[in-house]
Amino acid sequence: MRRKMIAGNWKMNNNQAEASNFISSLETWLSSDQTGKKAVSAVSSGEIEIVLAPSFTSIGSAVAAKSTNLIQISAQNVHHKQSGAYTGEVSLPMLEDAGCKYVIIGHSERRHVFGEDFDLLEKKLIATLESRVLPIFCVGELLEERTSGNMKKVLSSQLDSAWNSLTSDVIGEMVVIAYEPVWAIGTGQTASDSDAEYACDFIRTLAYDKFGIAASDSLRILYGGSVKPENSASLLSQSNIDGLLIGGASLEVEQFERIITSAL
Ligand code: PGA
């Protein structure tokens, strides 16, 4: 069974105090609420994983606010070099040192707003897999790519260019893929359960074709794009969706708790 991941991507929101308050409230819910306690046993038994991705400046306070290991911290971006003259960038050893278990790579905002291309994203993925931080690698098509019937072509090329040199054990054990259709991100226009499942199933088939059955069976694939407490349960009930990457709805602790609840 694949462990479900409920991951909040805070983007450029939540300063240090806000990050710390959020973590404290979430931990209080986990330790004192009936459903929260159910979530704790699901985390402890390895059924689900709770992840939050603060901005770089709030990672330290989020880590410091944790009194348990129930919540894992992710970064939202990284540079592929270990150190050096790269003004404004943050390295994998720095993320490790700060307490990050994961890093999001290739989010659509990085691809489309900041112009990160296939070559750069492949470098970031490979460097991450050589570190102790694990990648959550995002793929997804633009609206015009979907309406012109090119969704599969886009997903294949985004994945092929990134995982070309990887091996099946790495894919199965270390990589998390997030399918995030760009037209669904921050728009309130969630993909239907069947559209999300279709794309995630397609991604798993690509993994099967390239890496075989063991890797494709254990590969975790998340859906992201306007996930809310109202649609999370039905998305999670799809057989190829192993978790959710949540932007807007992860900024409100109560909404995030309701999404965790829907995964139990
Ligand atoms: P959204 O963002 O939930 O606000 O649509 C998702 C994401 O960008 O990861």
Side-chain angles (χ1 to χ4, degrees), residues 6 21 28 61 69 74 84 98 111 204-205 211 236 242-243 252:
I6 303 299
N21 290 339
T28 303
S61 56
N69 206 27
S74 173
R111 289 178 189 267
R204 200 173 304 286
T205 306
F211 301 104
L236 285 168
D242 307 312
E252 298 290 332

Side-chain angles (χ1 to χ4, degrees), residues 210-229:
K210 191 160 175 60
F211 301 104
I213 186 77
S216 65
D217 266 0
S218 50
L219 175 67
R220 288 191 287 172
I221 304 173
L222 317 182
Y223 167 78
S226 296
V227 173
K228 301 182 266 293

